[in-house]
Amino acid sequence: MANEIAILGAGMHPWGKWGHNFVEYGVAAAREALADAGVSWRDVGFVSGGATIRCGYPGYVAGATFAQALGWQGAEVNTSYAACASGSQALAAARNKILAGECEVALVVGADTTPKGFLAPAKGYRPEDPDWVRFYLGITNPTYFALYARRRMDLYGDTLDDFAAVKVKNSRIGSKNPRARYRKAFSAEDVAASAMVADPLRLMDICATSDGGAALIVSSLEYAKKIGKGNAPRVAAISTVTPTFASGVVEMPDIATDSAAAAGVEAQAYRASIPVKAYEEAGIGPEDVSLAEVYDLSTALELDWIEDLQLCPRGEAAGLLRAGDTAVGGRIPVNVSGGLACFGEAVPAQALAQVCELTWQLRGEAGDRQVEGATVGITANQGLFGHGSSVIVKK
Amino acid sequence: MSDKPLAPAIEGWYTLDAKPHLIGTRCKGCGTYFFPKQSHFCKNPDCESTDFEEVELSRTGAVWSYTNACYKPPEPYVAREPFEPYTIAAVQLEKEEMVVLGQVCEGVSVEDLKVGMTMELVLEPLHETDDDIKVTWKWRPLDQ
């Protein structure tokens, strides 16, 4: 396909709470990806970094920071901020550069060192900032996850046991992932015994924030063939669409949705719109997908994503889970990396980590986590300020 | 709480009378409501209006979803010591076709709420400063 690029290499620094400078994680991930690709750092013509923005924190110069840390060699650089979708936007920038014929090989990299506890806004009295407003009024990130979870219980009859089962599934497979931060197989009893954070979600239903780094080496298909990697997995689609007015679901960090009162305006669900462009671009449908890596900020949100990706009809994801269809060996395994449940969120690295997992799965190199015969994988994530992404990788 | 004067936690976002309303704006071009207020450009992609009127939003609506906060939020939230969990609701305003978040008034827990039940807007203290008691909007079950 004309718009495809090859994934030559993938690399990650293990997730954890290491407390080191984020540049270390990015360099480690980049070097692993370069070695995996068999590409020399000096052959990389473009460095595309995923960034985070945290006041007083220099993560936002990601492209140049990593290029300098790896040793200046003249490559062009780019820095992308798109909240949780930063990695996908950085990947899209690299794809554009390659497809435009301006470079053959690019490094895409994101890494983060996260502060402890809640991700909090800058201080002062700043009612013009929606993030400040909601924290001032006592509305944190778990509030939104819990509102969505409660809604699933009300609309579809999902239960606390279903949410716990997502955690049990992800922790079981994630315990086999050497790059994951949490590598213990938890039971439903463990989940039930954890503290309530935002009813109906408990501590073990909600993902932590972590340190970590992820990197990809991507190239034109011609270059891949030239170095004997013509069969490398390909990026078949990248969707980074923004929402469509009017938002029908109250989203972080907003205190209210848009109004859909004007003539001709309908309330829209953003999450469900993200993969639509990806499927169109790749020329495939949900029935072609072998596995999915989705943004399980909460256990219940994994179920929402399964429906947003159209892997089952709306409201039936818990049924899929109960039948074992979303576990390894099931019809459509979801989060076989262990997901955010086992990794914790390292914002600018997370979307790339999802693509790393798909790369290893499609190469048949995922070991104990391998989805047999995987040919197509899809990612999905969503973050603040109308950022979200979905990437399709295929053999 | 003391007998200090009451003051809005966020100036100009709600009326301070016995039956309070959130204060929004309405686009004179397409009729879209905005909360928080929008007064310079309309966010409807098919509307180029820059003309807005200030309006009081409906003070009742239906629960879209609800939860609570069992952990103390970080600043700028000013938590009571010791921290007491509070309930939160997302309430759908029918006329405005929008959902507005807010704390639920004291004494109402998640067990008392159901999706679809009718809520009304009230004012309650959010925190106290040296000079006054900051009040904010909260949702309360209508039949209480």
Side-chain angles (χ1 to χ4, degrees), chain B residues 26-30 39-42 48-53:
Chain B
R26 185 167 183 265
C27 172
K28 286 186 177 176
C30 70
S39 24
H40 299 291
F41 47 88
C42 185
E48 296 180 359
S49 172
T50 55
D51 210 3
F52 295 83
E53 57 185 339

Side-chain angles (χ1 to χ4, degrees), chain A:
Chain A
M1 297 282 285
N3 290 329
E4 291 178 351
I5 58 170
I7 302 175
L8 302 180
M12 284 168 67
H13 183 288
W15 262 230
K17 209 75 175 176
W18 313 110
H20 302 153
N21 189 302
F22 75 100
V23 182
E24 278 183 40
Y25 314 140
V27 168
R31 288 189 171 154
E32 186 180 308
L34 283 164
D36 185 40
V39 166
S40 162
W41 161 234
R42 283 200 174 271
D43 291 337
V44 171
F46 188 58
V47 179
S48 194
T52 192
I53 291 177
R54 205 164 286 138
C55 292
Y57 182 79
Y60 53 84
V61 287
T65 296
F66 293 123
Q68 184 186 30
L70 290 159
W72 291 127
Q73 39 78 309
E76 293 181 279
V77 299
N78 164 75
T79 294
S80 294
Y81 174 74
C84 300
S86 295
S88 300
Q89 192 165 294
L91 179 62
R95 181 177 70 163
N96 293 347
K97 199 82 172 165
I98 290 165
L99 294 178
E102 293 184 8
C103 91
E104 287 189 305
V105 191
L107 163 67
V108 187
V109 55
D112 200 11
T113 305
T114 47
K116 284 186 175 170
F118 284 113
L119 297 174
K123 293 178 181 168
Y125 178 78
R126 302 184 299 108
E128 72 288 350
D129 174 2
D131 208 29
W132 182 90
V133 167
R134 54 114 175 186
F135 273 104
Y136 182 47
L137 297 176
I139 291 166
T140 60
N141 296 11
T143 302
Y144 296 86
F145 311 153
L147 290 171
Y148 308 153
R150 171 63 62 182
R151 194 130 172 101
R152 287 196 65 84
M153 295 173 78
D154 182 70
L155 288 183
Y156 314 132
D158 288 13
T159 65
L160 298 179
D161 289 345
D162 293 328
F163 301 156
V166 173
K167 176 72 174 186
V168 171
K169 168 184 76 74
N170 289 349
S171 71
R172 188 173 296 157
I173 193 76
S175 70
K176 299 173 181 172
N177 190 342
R179 295 176 174 91
R181 174 178 172 192
Y182 300 104
R183 299 191 55 203
K184 180 173 179 235
F186 291 105
S187 66
E189 291 72 31
D190 292 330
V191 180
S194 67
M196 187 67 82
V197 175
D199 190 284
L201 299 179
R202 295 179 176 276
L203 197 57
M204 292 184 66
D205 286 301
I206 297 170
C207 91
T209 58
S210 293
D211 297 359
L216 298 168
I217 300 295
V218 290
S219 77
S220 65
L221 300 186
E222 295 72 33
Y223 185 91
K225 278 190 204 114
K226 197 170 73 187
I227 66 164
K229 291 185 182 276
N231 292 327
R234 299 169 176 194
V235 176
I238 306 171
S239 167
T240 56
V241 296
T242 49
T244 303
F245 186 85
S247 69
V249 177
V250 65
E251 305 271 15
M252 221 156 54
D254 294 330
I255 201 79
T257 61
D258 295 328
S259 148
V265 171
E266 279 182 37
Q268 307 277 343
Y270 175 44
R271 259 198 328 268
S273 73
I274 297 169
V276 172
K277 187 212 168 199
Y279 284 131
E280 283 175 7
E281 195 171 289
I284 62 167
E287 66 283 0
D288 300 311
V289 173
S290 315
L291 77 160
E293 285 286 305
V294 306
Y295 228 59
D296 55 322
L297 293 166
S298 82
T299 49
L301 198 60
E302 174 171 310
L303 301 175
D304 282 328
W305 276 120
I306 288 167
E307 294 159 11
D308 294 323
L309 289 174
Q310 302 167 40
L311 301 176
C312 70
R314 184 65 61 187
E316 295 182 11
L320 220 60
L321 171 77
R322 291 173 203 143
D325 287 344
T326 57
V328 167
R331 178 173 77 74
I332 174 70
V334 176
N335 282 338
V336 291
S337 66
L340 294 179
C342 298
F343 276 78
E345 190 184 19
V347 175
Q350 211 67 46
L352 292 174
Q354 293 181 317
V355 178
C356 286
E357 178 68 16
L358 294 187
T359 301
W360 292 316
Q361 288 284 347
L362 266 51
R363 295 199 311 212
E365 297 173 357
D368 292 344
R369 308 188 312 283
Q370 185 62 45
V371 175
E372 291 307 320
T375 55
V376 176
I378 188 166
T379 75
N381 67 58
Q382 185 197 349
L384 266 65
F385 309 121
H387 290 299
S389 71
S390 179
V391 175
I392 292 176
V393 182
K394 69 175 198 186
K395 261 180 141 170

Side-chain angles (χ1 to χ4, degrees), chain A residues 118 123 125 127 132 135-138 146-147 150-151 154 195-199 245 255-262, chain B residues 30 32-33 35 43 45 64-68 70-71 74-77 86 96-99 101 103 115 127 136-137:
Chain A
F118 284 113
K123 293 178 181 168
Y125 178 78
W132 182 90
F135 273 104
Y136 182 47
L137 297 176
L147 290 171
R150 171 63 62 182
R151 194 130 172 101
D154 182 70
M196 187 67 82
V197 175
D199 190 284
F245 186 85
I255 201 79
T257 61
D258 295 328
S259 148
Chain B
C30 70
T32 296
Y33 292 88
F35 180 78
K43 292 182 179 175
W64 183 82
S65 191
Y66 57 93
T67 180
N68 61 12
C70 301
Y71 280 72
E75 290 181 36
Y77 189 74
Y86 51 88
E96 293 82 0
E97 294 191 46
M98 68 194 299
V99 173
L101 294 184
Q103 287 191 24
V115 170
H127 65 97
T136 185
W137 81 88

Side-chain angles (χ1 to χ4, degrees), chain B residues 104-120:
Chain B
V104 175
C105 71
E106 284 184 41
V108 176
S109 73
V110 289
E111 285 77 25
D112 301 320
L113 298 178
K114 273 196 167 62
V115 170
M117 73 190 277
T118 305
M119 306 287 273
E120 68 170 332

